[in-house]
Amino acid sequence: MAQTRELTCIRCPMGCALTVELDDSGAVTSVTGNSCPRGAQYGRDEVTNPVRTVTTSMPVVGASHAHMVSVKTQTDVPKGKVFDVIAALAGLTAQAPVAIGDVLVHDVAGTGVDVVATSNAR
Amino acid sequence: MGNSIEKRAIVIVGGGPAGLAAAVAAHEAGERDVLILERDTQLGGILNQCIHNGFGLHTFHEELTGPEYAARYVAQVDELGIERRLGTMVLDISEDRVVTAVSATDGITRIQAGAVILAMGCRERPRGALAIPGYRPAGIYSAGTAQRLVNIEGQLPGREVVILGSGDIGLIMARRMTFEGAHVQCVAEIMPYSGGLKRNIVQCLDDFGIPLLLSHTVVDIEGRDRVEAVTIAEVDERMKPIPGTERRYPCDTLLLSVGLLPENELSREAGVELSGVTRGPVVNERLETSVPGVFACGNVLHVHDLVDFVSQEAAAAGRSAAAYVARGEDAAAQRVDIVATDGVRYTVPAYLSGSDLDQDVTLRFRVGGVFRDRYVSVYLDDERVRHAKKRILTPGEMEQVVIKADQLRERAPHTVTVKLEEE
């Protein structure tokens, strides 16, 4: 049956209060309350296929100062895969030099998404 | 220590997001003699440990992590050849803008600045400032310290965690500690609303089933050498613990995310007037403090929740400082007071230097409670010139409203009032 979902958009710190309307088949018929197209997309995704960007860090060896290099999934991954991504990264170590944007892990946890560095370690 | 005084046009105290944006904007405004003093060994400030994403949507139109956002500005500062001294701690700023700094390589140096930009950021409110009984065992960290330990040092501060306070860093660390294998039992917040951004409650607590206990606080901490448990109780509307609501949480770690305080020791020494509400300098629309030629921006001025707005504000301070150096002090005009009332706790700027301004003024403010379906109204004397509907306003989110320069010129008000209205 038709339903309404109230969500808080997480695409940016504005945190818009979204109202997502779904029809009988569960298809999204409208998203309101968003202030940008990203919010509309978030509203649709969150009720059908929720996704998250994973950010974490991993140890780096061979750098002059840094012990850790921060990393993120290059794009969103399915929300249900977040802990698989974290588990796949556990125990991995990066080798300096690392520059922002370097791919450190290809196709992490079978998501098809790469893990890239978000800080420099020289 | 020699008597020689170096002369620089603009000295920026702090190389975090505010200092970097101010430096770039001052340079772009035509001032080539800009010096950044930074006490850390790298530029970027707190962004370097904020490895989560969500930064930069306003500035760069993409979602960046903290280190990436900082790197964008560092690249601009590098490209423009702006001088910076790292590992350099400012000890004193005098009323006539002599900056005294110390570093391991140069010892104590004195710099006569044409203009000074205060960009020292803020500090976390420490446990000592809170009335929690009990011993002082190991295992109690401010959320930002835990963030540094995990993200920069690669150390996990504990495994069973309770978080007191729902500031953004605490919420972010709830998720971060969970990713690192710790178990976060709950976040207790003494106020009936969260101090953090809504998005962080959704993506850092709700996603992981971590309960947010509003109107709850820590009433006891057990353990002499290491935290063994904390007791959390509900509080009444006067924030007094309600007997019978206590619940004990065995844990080894308590993180505190109970507010941020602008770091204004240097400002105070310089004779800068500080606000009792923001705890930052009282500034005009040029972000100039009560000491001529001393400007302030970013979290030292008032605590922001979005770095994008820090960058915007700091850029304005950088332009103002460049104009001050080029033009000198402006002739005194009739000051226009800004009154913050009816739910609006403060505004930055706190007053206008006059009504004959050549640029629109962005007023940033916070509200004192949770308000639904209210209008943010701006009055020039008795005339309402802005009336913007907001679905929700909360203390955790900074708001802003723009006053048009042509309206100010036309009406030449004595007072500007910013308030919330029901209709």
Side-chain angles (χ1 to χ4, degrees), chain B residues 307-371:
Chain B
V307 72
D308 296 81
F309 294 150
V310 168
S311 298
Q312 284 177 19
E313 184 178 274
R319 287 189 292 271
S320 296
Y324 179 88
V325 170
R327 276 207 322 261
E329 220 166 303
D330 286 307
Q334 182 60 46
R335 164 179 167 150
V336 179
D337 284 317
I338 302 175
V339 177
T341 184
D342 294 309
V344 178
R345 286 184 64 224
Y346 71 87
T347 65
V348 168
Y351 68 97
L352 306 178
S353 61
S355 55
D356 185 19
L357 304 179
D358 47 14
Q359 278 178 14
D360 296 349
V361 178
T362 300
L363 291 181
R364 300 201 158 92
F365 65 93
R366 284 184 193 270
V367 296
V370 177
F371 299 95

Side-chain angles (χ1 to χ4, degrees), chain A residues 8-15 17 33 38 52-53 55-57 67-68 70 72 79 82-83 86 100 118, chain B residues 51-54 57 63 65 67-68 71 151-154 176 179-180 197-199 202-203 207-208 306 391:
Chain A
T8 299
C9 182
I10 62 168
R11 299 286 18 165
C12 89
M14 293 271 291
R38 295 164 54 89
R52 296 290 185 266
T53 297
T55 58
T56 182
S57 57
H67 304 292
M68 305 292 285
S70 56
K72 68 177 180 184
K79 187 177 161 187
V82 166
F83 277 102
I86 292 293
I100 290 174
T118 58
Chain B
I51 67 167
H52 54 282
N53 63 335
L57 269 170
E63 207 172 351
T65 63
E68 291 173 298
N151 295 346
I152 306 286
E153 313 292 340
R176 190 75 193 97
F179 281 172
E180 291 300 320
L197 297 170
K198 289 185 291 274
R199 75 188 298 249
V202 173
Q203 63 180 356
D207 272 10
F208 305 100
L306 260 69
R391 281 173 77 168

Side-chain angles (χ1 to χ4, degrees), chain B residues 60-125:
Chain B
F60 299 111
H61 307 291
E62 58 182 306
E63 207 172 351
L64 302 173
T65 63
E68 291 173 298
Y69 187 96
R72 297 274 175 111
Y73 274 93
V74 172
Q76 290 182 57
V77 164
D78 286 346
E79 201 170 302
L80 297 173
I82 295 171
E83 191 189 340
R84 82 295 308 260
R85 291 183 195 153
L86 303 178
T88 302
M89 171 102 176
V90 173
L91 301 175
D92 183 67
I93 303 166
S94 74
E95 217 160 314
D96 50 1
R97 302 185 303 278
V98 174
V99 178
T100 306
V102 65
S103 78
T105 48
D106 299 337
I108 290 183
T109 50
R110 299 174 74 211
I111 307 165
Q112 173 68 60
V116 172
I117 301 177
L118 306 173
M120 294 90 78
C122 61
R123 256 187 226 159
E124 294 180 281
R125 193 187 295 270

Side-chain angles (χ1 to χ4, degrees), chain B residues 183-398:
Chain B
H183 175 234
V184 179
Q185 303 192 39
C186 64
V187 175
E189 168 59 58
I190 194 166
M191 302 301 284
Y193 48 80
S194 165
L197 297 170
K198 289 185 291 274
R199 75 188 298 249
N200 285 335
I201 294 167
V202 173
Q203 63 180 356
C204 299
L205 300 187
D206 297 354
D207 272 10
F208 305 100
I210 300 168
L212 172 60
L213 309 175
L214 296 175
S215 298
H216 280 72
T217 194
V218 171
V219 294
D220 190 32
I221 300 170
E222 292 173 46
R224 282 192 86 130
D225 299 324
R226 176 84 197 191
V227 173
E228 289 165 10
V230 301
T231 302
I232 291 175
E234 195 175 342
V235 298
D236 62 21
E237 55 283 0
R238 286 165 35 249
M239 287 191 255
K240 293 278 176 219
I242 302 171
T245 63
E246 299 88 356
R247 190 176 154 195
R248 186 172 176 274
Y249 293 82
C251 60
D252 56 30
T253 304
L254 175 66
L255 299 189
L256 303 175
S257 182
V258 290
L260 300 167
L261 301 171
E263 191 172 347
N264 275 295
E265 285 78 2
L266 289 171
S267 322
R268 200 173 291 117
E269 296 271 315
V272 166
E273 182 189 350
L274 299 178
S275 156
V277 180
T278 62
R279 301 194 186 217
V282 175
V283 295
N284 63 23
E285 79 286 351
R286 294 191 297 261
L287 304 176
E288 188 175 18
T289 69
S290 61
V291 176
V294 176
F295 298 81
C297 54
N299 282 350
V300 80
L301 177 56
H302 58 143
V303 174
H304 294 63
D305 15 74
L306 260 69
V307 72
D308 296 81
F309 294 150
V310 168
S311 298
Q312 284 177 19
E313 184 178 274
R319 287 189 292 271
S320 296
Y324 179 88
V325 170
R327 276 207 322 261
E329 220 166 303
D330 286 307
Q334 182 60 46
R335 164 179 167 150
V336 179
D337 284 317
I338 302 175
V339 177
T341 184
D342 294 309
V344 178
R345 286 184 64 224
Y346 71 87
T347 65
V348 168
Y351 68 97
L352 306 178
S353 61
S355 55
D356 185 19
L357 304 179
D358 47 14
Q359 278 178 14
D360 296 349
V361 178
T362 300
L363 291 181
R364 300 201 158 92
F365 65 93
R366 284 184 193 270
V367 296
V370 177
F371 299 95
R372 287 176 200 282
D373 297 319
R374 296 294 166 96
Y375 290 86
V376 174
S377 299
V378 177
Y379 287 79
L380 303 184
D381 290 332
D382 294 333
E383 186 186 356
R384 190 165 73 193
V385 295
R386 298 275 300 175
H387 193 53
K389 176 100 183 255
K390 299 287 288 186
R391 281 173 77 168
I392 187 159
L393 297 127
T394 71
E397 322 240 345
M398 185 182 289

Side-chain angles (χ1 to χ4, degrees), chain A residues 54-86:
Chain A
V54 179
T55 58
T56 182
S57 57
M58 63 168 74
V60 60
V61 294
S64 58
H65 286 87
H67 304 292
M68 305 292 285
V69 61
S70 56
V71 302
K72 68 177 180 184
T73 52
Q74 178 102 61
T75 59
D76 290 331
V77 298
K79 187 177 161 187
K81 287 274 191 180
V82 166
F83 277 102
D84 296 341
V85 170
I86 292 293

